[in-house]
Amino acid sequence: MNIFSLLYFGFILLAGVQAHGKEHFTWYKKSLAIYACNYEISYLKGISFCPAKGNKRERKKCRCANENWRASLAGCLAYKERNTTSTIEFYKSFCQNNYNVDLDKDWFDKSYTHFLNNAKNKYEIKPSREPVNFPVKFSPKEMDLYGKVAINFLGNYDDSIWYGISMFGFWFLVLTIGAISHWTKVLFPETTKKLVGSISNSYRKYISIPALYGKRRAQEIRCWKVFDSLIPTRFESIVIGLFYLFTVIIHAVNLKAVENDPIFDTKYMAEIRYVADRTGIVGTAMTPLVFLFAGRNNFLQWITGINFSTFLCYHRHIARVMVMLVVIHSVNYTILLVYRETFPFKVKNPWLYWGILATVAGGLALFQSILYLRRSHYELFLFLHLALAVLFVAGTWIHIVDFGYCVLLYPCIAVWCFDRIIRLIRLFSFGFPQANVMLVGDETIKLEIPKPKYWKPVPGGHVFVHFLKPSYFWQSHPFTFVKSSEKEGIIVIYLKLKGGITQNLYKLLKKSPGKMATMRVGIEGPYGESTPAKYSDKAVFIAGGNGIPGIYSEVVDISLRSPSERKSQLKLIWVIRDYNSIIWFYDELLWLKNTDIKTTLFVTRPNNRVTNFGSFNKSESSQEGSIKSGYNEINPQPYKGQNYIEEFKAELSHINFEERRPNFEQLIHDEIEESPGSVAFVACGHPAMVDEVRYQSCRNIDNPYNKRVDFYEQLQVWA
Ligand SMILES: Cc1cc2nc3c(=O)[nH]c(=O)nc-3n(C[C@H](O)[C@H](O)[C@H](O)COP(=O)(O)OP(=O)(O)OC[C@H]3O[C@@H](n4cnc5c(N)ncnc54)[C@H](O)[C@@H]3O)c2cc1C
Ligand SMILES: NC(=O)c1ccc[n+]([C@@H]2O[C@H](COP(=O)([O-])OP(=O)(O)OC[C@H]3O[C@@H](n4cnc5c(N)ncnc54)[C@H](OP(=O)(O)O)[C@@H]3O)[C@@H](O)[C@H]2O)c1
Ligand SMILES: *[C@@H]1O[C@H](CO)[C@@H](O)[C@H](O)[C@H]1NC(C)=O
Ligand SMILES: *[C@@H]1O[C@H](CO)[C@@H](O)[C@H](O)[C@H]1NC(C)=O
């Protein structure tokens, strides 16, 4: 599909090969006593067991090869009976794997006997440069201290994994709440309708439905362009707020060091290290969440009924937290390295510079994804974002592979691959059909795509479209589709003219004869699902401008269900700027005649010049019994304006026309008043309009008629 798929699979292959023979993940707590005692022996001042020569590894080998070291260790382990069988076995394999020293099976018993017979108390030994030839015995107080230090330091590694996992717990809880509120509507529609008590109403009025503050949700908050941003709903904001709080808490507890920490010199330095480890591990452990929530094929969307744009909103915040943790991790390690004066040398190690690279990639990904850049250069944003994400994962991988922490990355890579593979399957299973592309208005392009038989359209769903032209085949854009009202097996997409790929298509069509062309397209989908509005006694579908396709297909889908299946009265409201819009959607509007959907069209600027009608060959269409949308450039007719409008209105007598902007405050109030029971409002269109409908629906949740009011947003905004 694109170079990224190749990159992923290349990377996975690499990772798979690398994973072989590398250190396996182990829990420190299983053999904490070994570490505690070995630290204690290593930090003896003026007492050593082996000559200080050779490289670091050679010197470290002493802890396995030297019998006095082993005996000191055995004596230390015997304190409080920490010499469990697994500990003893662990040390045997530890010596084998790290220093190639083959210990006897009964190394402990032998060493312990040696210890009992020959050990000297630490305080009786004179400091010397020469190695001693007897084991050393420690006081219980010191052994307790080192036990504690090991728990603080190494226990933190193990705990951090659990704190990382607790992040999943947090999101599990949040998504469960979302899933419950979605599924109760679907599974128990009758019960849900009766839920108009003060608790349920207050919850929906103050928490689940409103924008965070005022009306803005689909509409961005403006702030000097670069700080433009989308504000989550109130429920989402609460979730995100709690998430930040939760993150702070799990990085604040269980991180105390002892005074004068023997490993890190000071309590401060020790705590710097603990925080560095905690943030590093939690940050890595949460990567699957970041990648899962950003994927189109996120199975949680199917389970919870929460839409992609909400998941993307969570994705952004989780990613911010993750990168912040990674930055803290890096800063703290820098402090530690500088403190130990090894900084300039260690940077040469791959694990270190890949770690630095990953941190930088993560930071850049945050900055390049601001709304302003997503809006102005979406394709560039996406390309850089994916490239940085690959760099982040690859860098992290190399950074942690030698520490045995790669298991933390497996789920992240797994969800990413899963998404990519499903995307490829969806794309290829649709086949790459030839689609008819035509200009059907000043600002609208119509796409007719033949679909495979088994491919089931989802009412209100969308697909991602690739236009297979050399200069932009790699782009995929989301568009809502409708089933063609005239032809079987065709889905139709209406594209509104914007500045990028749609502009390219427009230029291409302008040059083509008849303002139409055929083109191979790749279709990935269907994604999304219809809202639970169909379970209400009355469903009011409100569309603005080019937001109509999804709204239309959902309302028509409900109207076509058998009477036993559907209970709602249906209403469709379409707000358009001028009569031009009718032309490209004429067939669908005409088709509504066959249904009992009450339709109202609001034309907000009725006096706008109607530019399409002049070239509209009405006689041709009339022969087929319906007016067909499409240009006829060869025989342009003179502009007749009002006449045409009247003719159209006559043919669309089942539709009620209003020449003004709707007053949603009044409209929503009236719809609730007239409804036989519960009411659901579904909106898609101009963000300001959708926000207005949300606001007014929310205000009316407490209504004098005690009818349940719901609001569903079909508009998804992520750029
Ligand atoms: C779920 C969904 C359904 C949609 N359905 C329709 C529809 O039925 N008809 C319709 O006309 N439009 C629809 N849109 C909007 C449509 O995706 C964009 O208008 C289109 O991608 C713009 O392409 P462009 O390159 O011409 O735009 P540009 O001028 O490059 O960008 C215009 C705007 O579109 C956003 N955009 C561009 N590319 C993407 C992308 N790949 N994904 C998301 N946003 C993008 C940009 O950030 C910018 O805000 C839908 C969007 C979503 C999210
Ligand atoms: N699922 C999705 O996410 C999805 C699906 C399809 C389309 N879309 C997107 O939806 C957008 C809508 O299309 P568009 O650009 O064609 O719309 P538009 O032209 O901007 O607006 C359409 C109509 O809505 C009216 N309107 C705007 N704000 C209003 C308000 N607050 N109250 C009442 N009426 C209001 C306008 O009236 P005035 O003339 O008085 O301004 C106009 O008549 C497009 O950007 C499209 O890409 C998204
Ligand atoms: C641990 O050491 C004690 C001696 O202090 C010994 O009796 C015991 O059997 C040892 N336990 C194991 C599992 O080796
Ligand atoms: C309309 O189309 C019909 C059938 O294709 C054609 O015969 C007729 O000349 C066209 N009329 C105009 C005005 O373009």
Side-chain angles (χ1 to χ4, degrees):
M1 174 166 42
N2 53 34
I3 54 165
F4 284 108
S5 308
L6 271 177
L7 262 176
Y8 300 132
F9 297 122
F11 172 65
I12 301 318
L13 221 70
L14 195 94
V17 172
Q18 256 218 320
H20 272 281
K22 286 290 177 182
E23 204 154 317
H24 286 294
F25 174 78
T26 45
W27 295 102
Y28 282 109
K29 280 194 175 167
K30 271 183 159 175
S31 32
L32 211 54
I34 298 260
Y35 291 102
C37 293
N38 266 343
Y39 276 128
E40 190 156 13
I41 301 168
S42 319
Y43 288 112
L44 279 169
K45 296 216 172 67
I47 303 170
S48 58
F49 295 97
C50 301
K53 60 170 202 259
N55 62 21
K56 206 172 162 193
R57 207 183 107 92
E58 233 9 82
R59 273 178 280 139
K60 277 193 165 184
K61 193 175 175 174
C62 180
R63 59 183 59 177
C64 287
N66 183 282
E67 65 164 340
N68 292 317
W69 185 305
R70 290 200 304 267
S72 308
L73 175 65
C76 177
L77 287 179
Y79 175 61
K80 291 195 172 162
E81 275 162 28
R82 298 181 288 182
N83 58 329
T84 59
T85 318
S86 70
T87 304
I88 292 165
E89 278 166 7
F90 170 81
Y91 204 60
K92 184 170 155 50
S93 59
F94 172 85
C95 287
Q96 181 73 63
N97 297 339
N98 289 293
Y99 308 111
N100 220 358
V101 174
D102 195 10
L103 298 183
D104 296 334
K105 245 191 133 117
D106 59 348
W107 73 267
F108 177 81
D109 296 327
K110 282 186 193 155
S111 301
Y112 191 54
T113 318
H114 179 45
F115 173 83
L116 289 178
N117 296 335
N118 304 305
K120 282 198 187 165
N121 213 315
K122 181 182 152 189
Y123 297 105
E124 295 165 4
I125 307 166
K126 262 212 202 108
S128 151
R129 296 182 134 256
E130 289 303 305
V132 294
N133 57 356
F134 48 80
V136 177
K137 187 175 177 180
F138 302 101
S139 70
K141 205 176 135 203
E142 281 178 316
M143 285 189 282
D144 284 337
L145 175 75
Y146 272 92
K148 205 160 166 221
V149 167
I151 282 253
N152 287 348
F153 174 38
L154 300 173
N156 181 39
Y157 281 91
D158 293 1
D159 295 343
S160 296
I161 289 185
W162 291 110
Y163 287 117
I165 290 172
S166 75
M167 288 261 179
F168 292 84
F170 176 89
W171 285 102
F172 178 78
L173 223 71
V174 167
L175 296 179
T176 307
I177 295 172
I180 290 174
S181 86
H182 174 75
W183 286 104
T184 44
K185 282 176 196 151
V186 175
L187 298 175
F188 313 106
E190 292 306 316
T191 325
T192 317
K193 272 186 226 167
K194 291 187 200 108
L195 277 181
V196 284
S198 61
I199 294 175
S200 139
N201 272 357
S202 305
Y203 173 73
R204 286 179 309 122
K205 181 164 179 169
Y206 298 110
I207 295 179
S208 71
I209 295 184
L212 176 61
Y213 176 76
K215 294 183 183 174
R216 279 174 188 254
R217 142 77 188 180
Q219 249 189 318
E220 73 283 2
I221 300 276
R222 295 240 166 79
C223 189
W224 298 324
K225 292 214 154 128
V226 276
F227 296 115
D228 284 3
S229 46
L230 295 168
I231 306 297
T233 65
R234 196 171 292 168
F235 178 77
E236 289 158 10
S237 303
I238 292 170
V239 165
I240 291 163
L242 287 175
F243 175 61
Y244 280 91
L245 188 70
F246 183 75
T247 308
V248 170
I249 290 172
I250 63 172
H251 287 87
V253 296
N254 194 10
L255 276 172
K256 276 254 167 293
V258 296
E259 292 294 341
N260 300 324
D261 184 280
I263 304 177
F264 300 101
D265 298 347
T266 64
K267 181 178 174 186
Y268 176 72
M269 277 299 157
E271 287 180 354
I272 288 271
R273 174 64 186 260
Y274 301 168
V275 171
D277 293 336
R278 176 75 57 87
T279 49
I281 292 173
V282 175
T284 312
M286 68 197 283
T287 47
L289 285 173
V290 175
F291 287 85
L292 179 65
F293 283 20
R296 287 179 193 170
N297 293 288
N298 165 1
F299 52 88
L300 294 175
Q301 275 179 55
W302 310 328
I303 300 173
T304 60
I306 297 173
N307 68 18
F308 189 30
S309 79
T310 302
F311 269 109
L312 280 178
C313 165
Y314 292 149
H315 158 79
R316 292 194 283 272
H317 286 274
I318 299 173
R320 281 168 201 159
V321 164
M322 179 185 79
V323 172
M324 279 190 265
L325 293 178
V326 169
V327 168
I328 295 173
H329 170 81
S330 304
V331 167
N332 280 17
Y333 260 104
T334 309
I335 295 173
L336 285 160
L337 288 176
V338 170
Y339 178 75
R340 299 209 152 179
E341 290 174 294
T342 49
F343 186 60
F345 308 106
K346 281 214 174 162
V347 175
K348 280 197 221 130
N349 289 341
W351 70 268
L352 190 53
Y353 62 74
W354 277 102
I356 295 171
L357 213 70
T359 309
V360 173
L364 286 180
L366 279 201
F367 285 111
Q368 62 93 217
S369 60
I370 58 171
L371 183 65
Y372 172 65
L373 295 178
R374 272 185 277 148
R375 288 244 156 118
S376 59
H377 299 91
Y378 190 84
E379 300 309 321
L380 185 66
F381 147 75
L382 198 65
F383 180 83
L384 287 178
H385 205 62
L386 290 175
L388 290 169
V390 170
L391 210 62
F392 180 82
V393 176
T396 309
W397 181 279
I398 298 170
H399 181 64
I400 63 181
V401 68
D402 286 341
F403 305 99
Y405 276 98
C406 278
V407 274
L408 291 180
L409 277 182
Y410 292 155
C412 154
I413 294 168
V415 292
W416 205 354
C417 287
F418 176 76
D419 179 40
R420 290 283 152 174
I421 289 168
I422 300 285
R423 280 174 65 172
L424 285 178
I425 293 175
R426 284 183 187 246
L427 195 60
F428 279 96
S429 69
F430 198 94
F432 294 85
Q434 288 276 6
N436 289 328
V437 192
M438 56 203 112
L439 204 57
V440 290
D442 281 348
E443 293 203 319
T444 307
I445 296 165
K446 181 177 178 181
L447 213 65
E448 289 180 342
I449 306 160
K451 69 170 186 66
K453 271 216 174 62
Y454 54 84
W455 196 90
K456 284 239 167 333
V458 174
H462 57 276
V463 291
F464 288 85
V465 185
H466 291 264
F467 297 95
L468 301 186
K469 288 275 166 188
S471 50
Y472 40 75
F473 70 93
W474 43 276
Q475 297 190 14
S476 76
H477 290 262
F479 291 104
T480 320
F481 56 84
V482 291
K483 270 197 280 191
S484 169
S485 51
E486 336 151 57
K487 300 176 205 154
E488 266 299 303
I490 299 271
I491 56 170
V492 181
I493 291 174
Y494 294 98
L495 290 74
K496 181 170 162 123
L497 194 59
K498 296 266 172 79
I501 202 163
T502 48
Q503 187 69 237
N504 286 331
L505 286 175
Y506 177 75
K507 285 187 189 140
L508 188 115
L509 290 174
K510 269 232 142 157
K511 281 187 290 182
S512 315
K515 300 227 154 65
M516 51 171 77
T518 57
M519 190 184 285
R520 246 178 224 294
V521 290
I523 300 291
E524 184 195 319
Y527 288 102
E529 53 185 306
S530 48
T531 60
K534 51 181 159 294
Y535 304 110
S536 320
D537 298 321
K538 179 176 193 176
V540 183
F541 287 85
I542 303 169
N546 282 52
I548 185 72
I551 292 285
Y552 175 86
S553 58
E554 218 181 292
V555 72
V556 166
D557 172 68
I558 303 174
S559 78
L560 290 180
R561 287 165 186 244
S562 64
S564 62
E565 250 188 286
R566 71 164 269 206
K567 303 181 175 68
S568 334
Q569 284 183 8
L570 297 173
K571 200 140 191 189
L572 172 64
I573 290 164
W574 187 24
V575 188
I576 47 176
R577 200 165 289 152
D578 49 44
Y579 286 100
N580 284 315
S581 298
I582 298 181
I583 299 191
W584 56 264
F585 213 62
Y586 186 81
D587 293 329
E588 287 83 354
L589 291 178
L590 195 66
W591 196 84
L592 287 175
K593 221 175 205 158
N594 310 327
T595 68
D596 61 349
I597 303 168
K598 285 210 187 103
T599 311
T600 305
L601 251 66
F602 285 90
V603 185
T604 53
R605 304 182 197 179
N607 299 324
N608 269 11
R609 208 184 124 82
V610 182
T611 49
N612 286 350
F613 290 5
S615 48
F616 198 79
N617 187 340
K618 196 152 174 297
S619 67
E620 178 193 42
S621 315
S622 298
Q623 287 169 356
E624 293 174 11
S626 88
I627 300 178
K628 236 214 182 120
S629 35
Y631 269 102
N632 185 345
E633 270 263 291
I634 309 137
N635 278 313
Q637 290 185 347
Y639 170 64
K640 288 200 196 151
Q642 212 54 37
N643 274 350
Y644 273 114
I645 295 171
E646 292 313 320
E647 274 182 58
F648 275 115
K649 280 188 181 174
E651 287 203 46
L652 298 174
S653 58
H654 55 292
I655 293 175
N656 176 23
F657 283 86
E658 302 264 359
E659 297 195 336
R660 60 181 172 87
R661 245 191 188 211
N663 173 352
F664 284 111
E665 186 173 358
Q666 190 63 42
L667 189 145
I668 285 173
H669 177 268
D670 293 348
E671 293 297 342
I672 295 168
E673 191 176 3
E674 288 162 19
S675 163
S678 62
V679 201
F681 294 95
V682 184
C684 183
H686 193 283
M689 193 194 85
V690 175
D691 284 348
E692 177 73 21
V693 175
R694 173 194 294 277
Y695 180 76
Q696 297 298 347
S697 314
C698 193
R699 271 189 44 181
N700 281 291
I701 286 175
D702 281 330
N703 55 68
Y705 323 104
N706 219 15
K707 293 173 186 165
R708 174 156 170 133
V709 178
D710 275 301
F711 168 78
Y712 302 104
E713 183 177 44
Q714 216 191 51
L715 180 73
Q716 295 198 48
V717 184
W718 61 71

